[in-house]
Amino acid sequence: MNGSVVFGDSAAAVTVRNLRVGFGSAEPVVRGVSFAVAPGECLAIVGESGSGKSVTARSLLGLAGTNARVSADRLELGGQSVLGLAGRAWQARRGKDVGLVLQDALVSLDPLRPIGREIADSLRLHTTLGAAGRARRVLELLDAVGLPEPELQVRKLSGQLSGGERQRALIAAAIALNPPLLIADEPTTALDVTVQAQILALLEQITGAGTAVLLISHDLAVVSRVAHRVAVMYDGQLVETGRTPEVLGSPQQEQTRRMVAAIPGDKPRGTRLSPSDGPDTPSGLTATGDSRAEVSPESTVVLEAIGLSKSFRRQDGTRQLAVDDVSFALHRGSTLGIVGESGSGKTTTARLLLALLAPDHGEVRVFGEPWSTTSEKTRRGLRASVGAIYQDALGSFDPRWSVAEILTDALHLRHERGAPHTTARLTSLLDEVGLAPTVLPRRPLELSGGQRQRVGIARALAGRPEILICDEPVSSLDVTVQAQVLDLLDDVQRERGLSLIFISHDLGVVQHVSDHIAIMRDGRIVEMGPAERVFAAPQHPYSAQLLAAVPRLRA
């Protein structure tokens, strides 16, 4: 490993030496991990899901799990050993010696208590401040993390806050007692690019004030902005550590090189992101550059949105306009990327395109034929031509069904289940998405996130669609698994001549996959054009602001 780790420095906020974590009688999932983080330093631990990142972080707070076996030669917070702590002894350390920020702030915050009371509770338990002093401190904290109008926000429940506001409130709670160490476990993964930029700036501010930050992430572009050092984790071990520019600019280990190569931003359309000879590469599919014909104004339009508008009734009886006069055309064999922040109308647009919602005004046409304005009985003849891939593959499956049952149902062969020709079709479909027949008897919960998303793609392809609507299809995946899925979609599009609508808040992904881009804000398309032009020279101020917030790899 490049870089160095110094042990025995009592001034370090956290010192870990030869950490081992296992569960029950199984083999350890963290094996011999060692690092130290100094005050005012940010160390990022990066790696794929299952590499041991989060288990390592939780072990530093005594939260590895009730059946966890945690051992180490040294495990110290602020120079004091925490080995063997349990129960109330750990409770006394959490918040005071170490704060924790998780990815899902909505789950982490109590939905039944105003955020002001939740933040004040740690002050009540660990300080001598009176009620008035606690109230002042809460306002100071919310102001420090950039939450607007903190005197109003303190009364709100977490469900009344936006994603970015919830994450700021969670960070305020984590730093309320000025802990010398802050652990941030995937704190920006689910956030829009502009909110992500704000949270990263806040983490930089916290580090600059002298707090040690341990950042857990799989996003190397994010890491390159805020981390002083990087530790790459793979299969429970740290395989490479060092200063951030050195590790990301000149990676020495194969796993690190693959992660760097998998970052989609700024990589041209058709460029492969994952190794073509990897175990997950679909057989028979190789990337040889982008062979698609250039989309011209005269090429065939396969799907068209014409003046779409859709509103929903709020609890107070007023109506919210979610999609406002949206129009665009999708050409055969091309990809239209639709980007925007949460609440911009992206997903509502997708549901209108799939005829899962009826527009208030406007219409959708497929192959020039009425789609949204006709009956479902009439649409049935075209349904097989329009497939969908969703963000939450697990949530879109019946958890009781095996992969074989899911795909058999998609092929409309349920009455022929188990027939030799059905098994052959299932095997062929799995082969197309790079999965072995051995997954057929398994249920969704028995698959990894990447495998589930591949099954979701296989299900979408089962009806031989010509159009695919992809709504955040890779947002929950690690960068290397994301790369494999993006390469897979590119391969399948090339082989089948598919036309794609690709909806995402990740502009780096959209830039890589799209021929044309539509940028949405408040239900409207504010800018649309060729992807290369929009990213190089955005015309709308909002587009420029959005693109400027995209994290880029700084190596």
Side-chain angles (χ1 to χ4, degrees):
M1 296 188 294
N2 59 326
S4 60
V5 179
V6 178
F7 302 104
D9 182 0
S10 60
V14 59
T15 301
V16 178
R17 186 167 187 177
N18 197 24
L19 175 67
R20 300 172 298 278
V21 184
F23 295 92
S25 59
E27 288 294 313
V29 295
V30 174
R31 300 177 288 128
V33 166
S34 301
F35 60 85
V37 190
E41 179 186 34
C42 177
L43 170 67
I45 299 181
V46 302
E48 301 174 0
S49 290
S51 62
K53 307 187 304 297
S54 291
V55 172
T56 296
R58 288 177 175 274
S59 298
L60 305 183
L61 297 114
L63 297 174
T66 54
N67 65 333
R69 296 178 286 106
V70 180
S71 64
D73 294 345
R74 294 182 65 178
L75 188 60
E76 298 175 352
L77 295 176
Q80 297 183 340
S81 178
V82 293
L83 284 171
L85 291 188
R88 291 184 178 179
W90 262 123
Q91 291 175 14
R93 293 297 187 100
R94 295 181 197 128
K96 179 183 176 182
D97 294 334
V98 55
L100 175 65
V101 180
L102 295 172
Q103 172 181 343
D104 192 346
L106 185 60
V107 173
S108 303
L109 294 169
D110 187 336
L112 301 179
R113 288 193 299 171
I115 62 168
R117 190 185 306 169
E118 183 157 5
I119 297 171
D121 266 0
S122 61
L123 299 172
R124 179 177 56 83
L125 293 171
H126 296 284
T127 74
T128 59
L129 288 174
R134 293 196 298 269
R136 285 194 299 271
R137 176 60 175 157
V138 169
L139 292 178
E140 290 172 358
L141 287 164
L142 293 179
D143 183 64
V145 298
L147 205 60
E149 301 180 304
E151 61 281 351
L152 298 179
Q153 306 284 17
V154 291
R155 303 186 185 96
K156 292 184 178 179
L157 302 176
S158 59
Q160 297 172 304
L161 302 176
S162 70
E165 288 171 337
R166 287 195 296 266
Q167 201 69 322
R168 287 173 183 273
L170 190 60
I171 292 174
I175 65 174
L177 300 174
N178 293 315
L181 173 67
L182 180 67
I183 298 176
D185 191 354
E186 300 282 7
T188 64
T189 297
L191 301 180
D192 297 324
V193 63
T194 51
V195 179
Q196 180 186 69
Q198 295 164 6
I199 297 301
L200 294 180
L202 178 57
L203 289 176
E204 289 178 308
Q205 177 185 333
I206 290 169
T207 307
T211 301
V213 174
L214 181 64
L215 174 64
I216 309 297
S217 182
H218 64 258
D219 190 330
L220 298 189
V222 164
V223 165
S224 71
R225 171 172 169 174
V226 299
H228 300 96
R229 291 188 296 122
V230 176
V232 181
M233 201 161 191
Y234 180 71
D235 193 24
Q237 297 178 299
L238 297 184
V239 297
E240 185 165 1
T241 65
R243 289 174 52 82
T244 303
E246 297 167 359
V247 173
L248 301 186
S250 182
Q252 302 301 303
Q253 299 297 318
E254 178 62 24
Q255 183 62 25
T256 313
R257 288 196 291 268
R258 289 193 178 201
M259 290 183 67
V260 171
I263 299 173
D266 298 323
K267 290 188 173 65
R269 180 88 157 96
T271 303
R272 197 166 192 87
L273 301 174
S274 58
S276 58
D277 57 350
D280 291 318
T281 303
S283 61
L285 297 178
T286 57
T288 56
D290 193 1
S291 61
R292 299 173 189 80
E294 183 177 347
V295 177
S296 68
E298 296 78 25
S299 62
T300 304
V301 173
V302 295
L303 181 147
E304 189 174 12
I306 306 169
L308 291 179
S309 294
K310 182 67 180 178
S311 63
F312 298 97
R313 187 179 298 277
R314 297 187 180 99
Q315 288 185 343
D316 62 4
T318 62
R319 298 195 72 85
Q320 176 185 1
L321 190 58
V323 174
D324 184 7
D325 194 25
V326 164
S327 299
F328 55 79
L330 175 66
H331 296 262
R332 186 180 301 281
S334 71
T335 298
L336 171 65
I338 301 179
V339 300
E341 299 175 281
S342 293
S344 62
K346 304 186 305 296
T347 294
T348 301
T349 298
R351 292 177 64 82
L352 291 170
L353 297 179
L354 289 165
L356 299 177
L357 289 175
D360 298 335
H361 304 286
E363 68 170 321
V364 179
R365 301 182 72 86
V366 173
F367 306 121
E369 299 294 326
W371 174 256
S372 60
T373 56
T374 190
S375 67
E376 182 59 33
K377 181 178 180 181
T378 305
R379 266 196 299 268
R380 199 168 298 146
L382 285 175
R383 270 289 176 200
S385 299
V386 183
I389 304 171
Y390 303 100
Q391 173 182 352
D392 183 8
L394 183 60
S396 69
F397 295 142
D398 186 328
R400 300 167 298 179
W401 284 12
S402 66
V403 172
E405 290 171 314
I406 290 168
L407 297 182
T408 299
D409 181 67
L411 288 166
H412 304 293
L413 297 173
R414 294 186 67 180
H415 61 289
E416 300 177 22
R417 186 178 302 164
H421 69 278
T422 301
T423 302
R425 289 185 66 179
L426 296 181
T427 301
S428 176
L429 198 56
L430 289 177
D431 184 63
E432 191 170 12
V433 298
L435 288 174
T438 51
V439 305
L440 284 172
R442 295 164 68 182
R443 288 177 169 78
L445 282 172
E446 299 171 323
L447 304 175
S448 69
Q451 288 173 322
R452 285 196 292 264
Q453 200 64 308
R454 288 174 182 270
V455 173
I457 295 172
R459 180 179 62 179
L461 296 175
R464 306 297 299 182
E466 298 180 56
I467 301 166
L468 273 182
I469 311 295
C470 308
D471 188 6
E472 299 280 8
V474 297
S475 64
S476 60
L477 303 179
D478 293 330
V479 64
T480 47
V481 178
Q482 171 185 274
Q484 294 164 6
V485 172
L486 292 178
D487 285 345
L488 170 60
L489 287 173
D490 188 66
D491 291 335
V492 172
Q493 183 177 31
R494 182 182 295 107
E495 291 290 311
R496 291 195 177 193
L498 290 173
S499 308
L500 268 62
I501 298 284
F502 197 101
I503 297 172
S504 180
H505 68 263
D506 189 326
L507 277 81
V509 168
V510 170
Q511 180 182 16
H512 174 72
V513 303
S514 302
D515 298 297
H516 284 73
I517 298 282
I519 297 179
M520 293 190 71
R521 184 186 193 189
D522 297 332
R524 299 183 65 89
I525 292 178
V526 299
E527 183 165 356
M528 185 161 54
E532 187 174 353
R533 196 276 299 161
V534 172
F535 276 90
Q539 303 299 302
H540 193 278
Y542 175 72
S543 303
Q545 173 191 344
L546 201 63
L547 296 176
V550 178
R552 305 290 184 185
L553 186 64
R554 302 176 183 179

